[in-house]
Structure formats: C-alpha cells, structure tokens
C-alpha cells in the first residue's frame, strides 16, 4: 500500500505523541495522521509545570510543543478532549469520544504516558489535596502557593522524589512553610541511593524546608472541607493548609491491557512491553514515552523511563519504526532538574543495589561536582551538579562499559574525555 492510503493513529498528545506526529511528516509520510488526546490543551511539555511555569517565570504559551496552527499546517487531525476507550486489534480500529467514533489504523502508537499515584488514606477528597501532572494542576497549584506564601500557610508534600522536591523549592520561593514527608531515609532514594540524597536534603533545609523521613501519611485531617493537618504513621501531626501528593506515577496501560498487549512485569516498573523498535506484542502497535518498557542492552534490564528526553526521542524513534525504518532504541536514560540555584543532569541507570561505589569529582559540599555510580570499575550512571557540558563524555563512559581508573575519575584535572576508550 502506498503511504497516502495509510492511516497512522497516535493515542496520547504528550511530548512523545506530538513528536511522533512531527517525525511522521518530516520523514515524508503522506497518509492520514490522527492524534487523539483526552486533555483539552494542545500537546505541551511538563517539566516547566514544577519549575518556571509554577514560579510564574515562564509564560503559558512557552510550554506547548508546537503552536496550535502547526497541526493544521501539517495535516495532523487533532482530537483534543477525547478519550480512546478501546482498541479492536482484529478490525484494527480504535474507538474514541463520547459518541464512540471508530477509526481504522494501519499503525497505532500508544503514547498514553503516566498518571499520578493517589494517596489511599482518609481525607484525600478535601479541596486542599493536590496532584501535579497537568497544566490545569499547575495553574491551580500556582495560585495555592502564592496564597500560602502571602498568608504564611503550610504545605505538606508527601514524597521526596523530583516533583516533590521541585514543588518544595517553588513553595519556598513563594514564602510558604513546607514539610516533606517520605518513607525513605533520604530524598530521591530510588534514583540516587543513600549517598547523594543528603546533598538535596541539605539544600532544602538551608532554604527552610522541614523533612520527616521514615514516615508515611496516614490521614489528612480536615474541617468543613478544608485541610487542617496531615498525620503520619508515627502519630505526628503536621499543620497543613494544603497537601501535595507526589508519590510517583503509574503508567497508563489500561487500554493496552484490555486489548491483550503484553505488559512488563511490575518489578521492572510495569508499562507496555516493547522491543528495541518500540513495537508491542502486536506488530502494528507501538508504544513510546513514559508508558513504554523496553529492554536496554546496556543495563541488561527492562527499563521504563519517566523522563522528558525519553519522550522527546522515543516518540520520533517509534514514528520511524512505524514507517519501516531501521530503528534501535538504546539511548542512555537522561533527565534534569532545577531546584533553587542547583541545576543537575543525570545520565544512566543505577538504582540502589546495582552499584558498589559512588565516586565524586569536585566538591559535593559546594554543590559543584559530578557523581559517578560505579560497579567493578564500570560507570553505570553520572550526575553533574552545577557543572555543565559534560553529558557527552559521561554518556560515552557509560556506553563504553570500560573499566576506568576511579582515582582519575575523581580527579577534576583529568579531562573526562581522556577516560573514554
Ligand atoms: C510536573 C512534572 C515535571 C517534570 N519535570 C521533568 C524534568 O525536570 N525532567 C525530566 O526529564 N522529566 C520531567 N518530567 C517527566 C516528563 O514530563 C515525562 O516523562 C513526559 O511528559 C512523558 O511524556 P509522554 O508523552 O510519554 O506522556 P504524557 O506527557 O503523560 O502524555 C500522555 C498523554 O496521553 C493522554 N492519554 C492517556 N490515555 C489516553 C487515552 N486513552 N485517550 C486519550 N488520551 C490519553 C494523557 O492525558 C496525556 O495527555 C516531569 C513530569 C511532570 C508531571
């Protein structure tokens, strides 16, 4: 069949979906491209929602992946505010919208992303309990933080992951009182392990954030629909006017699961299982972005990467694979974060238990350093904090799998590139 007679459907209008649509056109696909998303906003990028946009430093218009007119100009049929609720793999159709419109696909991309996990405790239905995933959430939270700052109010954040910490930083900049409650012993534990979390704990403490580690929220106490306090499992009560649940995100797999597509097991982060071409267990259906779990040859493991760069690159990779191009999706996972005056980038994958030492190059106390997670002399991951333009050599070191001299790795006078074989 020629391109022009084909229909490619993309479910999910986040960064992965929007970038896939763009790539189909830049690669010369002339058939129908249908992009369906349950959000009413045009596809946008989420990182500013907990940083510049939340702080009022970036305009609303700056978060969109493309300007609205781009879709019509590129002949992308955009269905916003419509949910895809079924895939019929035999008829090769998806059903969407309130009237149950069915559209036939030749190739289908699932870029359904992830959704915030909920706190399963009493009080979560109170008006002052928030999540942060969508533009509308960020708009609301912005108003909440400004009001808390004005009135000396208290925000309790459940979770000391990236979003919890970034919102803590934003809330302090607005002048709100902030307490972060986390079951781990240090922030960002599942990514950084015990060694580096304290760099972030200290940073936040210096800015007036209180931490309550090793505890879980058990109840949000309210009166007349308003939040009054948050209680933890050790019996403590933290004053709160608002609570942010930042306890991670779950991949949106319901559609894929109902269609009988293979899912990755939960121990590997769940998600839709795809191969190195981002193809699911159905050869005409692909998945990319937060929802996809792919086998990474470098780490010998299935990974589901919930980060911007994976959506930015995974969407286009899936689009090329849908067009029959040769694709091997094996990028080194990468993400970034900004909190107060600390900027960082992290490349690789080294959860606690996977490495045997952490090598520091630079001054962790001054928060200007690179940390390397190393196993048997091989670099699994690297994080540069307030040090820039080093992502390439860090990723080259990881990719090489070579044994490095850890003394040289720790020595800022030895150029990183000289360690890459
Ligand atoms: C507040 C915040 C800050 C972040 N900051 C950073 C950062 O600093 N650095 C970083 O690397 N990463 C960051 N991330 C992560 C990054 O934004 C995500 O990895 C990225 O958004 C994933 O893109 P995606 O397209 O895969 O999924 P999503 O952005 O989740 O998009 C999926 C879309 O599909 C829609 N959808 C789902 N199911 C259906 C359906 N059945 N029918 C129709 N539509 C559907 C969803 O509503 C959504 O609009 C942040 C995320 C958040 C929430």
């Amino acid at each position: 069949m020629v391109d022009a007679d084909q229909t490619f459907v993309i479910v999910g209008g986040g960064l992965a979906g929007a970038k896939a649509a763009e790539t189909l056109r830049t690669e010369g696909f002339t058939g129908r491209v249908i992009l369906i998303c349950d959000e009413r906003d045009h596809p946008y990028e989420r990182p500013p929602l907990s940083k510049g946009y939340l702080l009022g430093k970036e305009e609303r218009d700056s978060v969109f992946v493309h300007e609205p007119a781009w879709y019509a100009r590129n002949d992308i049929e955009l269905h916003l505010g419509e949910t895809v609720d079924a895939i019929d793999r035999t008829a090769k159709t998806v059903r969407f919208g309130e009237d149950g419109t069915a559209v036939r696909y030749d190739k289908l991309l699932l870029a359904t992303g992830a959704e915030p996990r909920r706190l399963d405790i009493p009080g979560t239905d109170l008006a002052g309990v928030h999540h942060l995933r969508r533009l509308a959430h960020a708009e609301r939270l912005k108003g909440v933080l400004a009001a808390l700052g004005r009135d000396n109010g208290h925000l309790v954040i459940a979770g000391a992951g990236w979003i919890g910490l970034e919102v803590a930083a934003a809330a302090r900049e607005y002048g709100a009182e902030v307490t972060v409650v986390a079951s781990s012993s240090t922030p960002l534990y599942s990514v950084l392990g015990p060694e580096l979390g304290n760099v972030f704990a200290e940073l936040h403490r210096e800015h007036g954030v209180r931490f309550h580690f090793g505890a879980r929220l058990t109840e949000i106490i309210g009166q007349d629909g308003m939040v009054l306090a948050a209680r933890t499992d050790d019996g403590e009560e933290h004053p709160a006017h608002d609570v942010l649940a930042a306890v991670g995100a779950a991949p949106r797999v319901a559609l894929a699961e109902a269609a009988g597509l293979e899912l990755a097991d939960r121990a590997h982060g769940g998600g839709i299982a795809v191969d190195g071409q981002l193809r699911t267990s159905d050869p005409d259906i692909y998945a990319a972005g937060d929802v996809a779990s792919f086998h990474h040859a470098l780490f010998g493991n299935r990974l589901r990467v919930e980060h911007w760069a994976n959506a930015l690159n995974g969407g286009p990779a899936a689009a090329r694979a849908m067009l029959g191009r040769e694709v091997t999706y094996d990028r080194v996972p990468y993400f970034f974060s900004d909190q107060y005056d600390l900027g960082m980038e992290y490349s690789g994958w080294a959860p606690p238990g996977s490495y045997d030492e952490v090598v520091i190059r630079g001054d962790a106390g001054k928060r200007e350093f690179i940390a390397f997670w190393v196993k048997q002399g091989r670099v699994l991951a690297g994080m540069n904090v307030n040090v820039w333009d080093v992502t390439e050599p860090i990723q080259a070191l990881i990719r090489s799998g070579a044994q490095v001299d850890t003394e040289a790795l720790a020595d800022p006078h030895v150029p990183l590139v000289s360690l890459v074989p």
Side-chain angles (χ1 to χ4, degrees):
M1 202 189 324
V2 292
D3 261 14
D5 300 327
Q6 297 208 28
T7 300
F8 284 8
V9 174
I10 301 170
V11 183
L15 184 59
K19 280 287 168 186
E22 178 187 318
T23 303
L24 289 174
R25 288 301 181 226
T26 54
E27 291 281 327
F29 180 66
T30 55
R32 283 181 82 187
V33 177
I34 303 175
L35 177 56
I36 309 166
C37 189
D38 59 6
E39 294 195 63
R40 291 194 183 281
D41 289 300
H42 282 79
Y44 57 89
E45 304 201 22
R46 296 181 201 272
L49 306 191
S50 51
K51 308 178 187 64
Y53 181 69
L54 188 61
L55 283 163
K57 294 178 183 167
E58 283 172 40
E59 296 296 322
R60 196 176 190 279
D61 279 355
S62 69
V63 305
F64 295 101
V65 183
H66 302 103
E67 51 157 337
W70 178 89
Y71 295 89
R73 231 176 22 244
N74 286 276
D75 205 10
I76 310 290
E77 298 173 40
L78 196 55
H79 295 268
L80 295 177
E82 309 220 46
T83 304
V84 174
D85 61 16
I87 302 168
D88 181 335
R89 288 167 53 200
T90 313
K92 292 183 76 173
T93 58
V94 298
R95 193 180 66 200
F96 69 98
E98 273 179 15
D99 56 357
T101 305
V103 65
R104 202 178 171 286
Y105 63 82
D106 292 287
K107 302 277 181 210
L108 174 65
L109 173 62
L110 298 177
T112 48
E115 61 193 338
R117 290 188 201 279
R118 309 266 149 183
L119 288 170
D120 189 17
I121 57 173
T124 48
D125 52 345
L126 293 165
V129 179
H130 312 277
H131 295 90
L132 180 55
R133 181 82 195 176
R134 296 186 163 197
L135 198 43
H137 297 153
E139 269 158 20
R140 182 165 166 225
L141 194 58
K142 206 161 137 176
V144 166
L145 298 186
L148 289 175
R150 222 171 26 238
D151 306 336
N152 222 6
H154 288 252
L155 175 70
V156 167
I157 298 175
W162 298 108
I163 291 180
L165 293 192
E166 287 177 3
V167 174
R172 288 301 298 144
E173 290 196 29
Y174 276 101
E177 297 294 326
V178 179
T179 303
V180 175
V181 175
S183 55
S184 56
S185 52
T186 47
L188 306 162
Y189 186 89
S190 62
V191 185
L192 303 186
E195 298 86 355
L196 267 298
N198 274 329
V199 170
F200 288 85
E202 280 313 306
L203 169 75
H204 281 270
R205 283 194 184 109
E206 279 171 25
H207 285 86
V209 171
R210 282 180 290 271
F211 284 102
H212 189 51
F213 289 119
R216 284 172 196 281
L217 288 193
T218 50
E219 185 181 356
I220 300 166
I221 303 161
Q223 197 177 20
D224 302 329
M226 312 275 280
V227 172
L228 286 183
R231 186 175 288 142
T232 43
D233 53 0
D234 51 6
E236 272 201 44
E237 247 178 52
H238 300 276
H241 298 97
D242 288 273
V243 172
L244 175 77
V247 289
R252 292 186 67 175
V253 294
L255 198 56
E257 190 171 20
L261 297 175
E262 190 189 322
L263 301 184
D265 102 52
R266 277 165 164 256
H268 290 119
I272 304 173
V274 293
D275 63 15
Q277 303 249 326
L278 299 176
R279 197 170 37 195
T280 68
S281 51
D282 180 322
D284 292 320
I285 306 181
Y286 294 73
D290 278 12
V291 79
S293 166
F294 56 99
H295 187 270
H296 206 301
L298 211 52
F299 304 102
N301 226 327
R302 256 192 187 286
L303 298 185
R304 192 174 64 76
V305 181
E306 278 179 15
H307 293 304
W308 171 88
N310 179 53
L312 182 77
N313 299 306
R320 281 192 292 273
M322 289 160 83
L323 291 168
R325 313 271 196 273
E326 201 53 52
V327 168
T328 313
Y329 192 68
D330 63 353
R331 294 188 78 94
V332 174
Y334 164 91
F335 66 88
F336 59 90
S337 178
D338 298 311
Q339 297 163 36
Y340 314 103
D341 56 356
L342 182 151
M344 58 74 66
E345 296 172 287
Y346 177 105
S347 293
W349 185 74
S354 67
Y355 57 90
D356 42 44
E357 64 176 311
V358 180
V359 175
I360 306 286
R361 158 186 284 244
D363 191 337
K366 282 193 182 150
R367 297 195 277 262
E368 210 174 295
F369 65 99
I370 309 176
F372 296 95
W373 285 260
V374 176
K375 184 177 187 177
Q376 292 161 357
R378 296 184 169 87
V379 177
L380 298 179
M383 171 175 74
N384 47 304
V385 173
N386 289 342
V387 172
W388 303 108
D389 301 324
V390 287
T391 300
E392 246 178 68
I394 291 174
Q395 294 203 355
L397 273 173
I398 297 169
R399 203 169 270 293
S400 75
Q403 283 212 313
V404 290
D405 171 357
T406 49
E407 267 180 37
L409 193 61
D411 184 351
H413 299 105
V414 179
L416 274 185
V417 277
S418 71
L419 302 175
V420 182

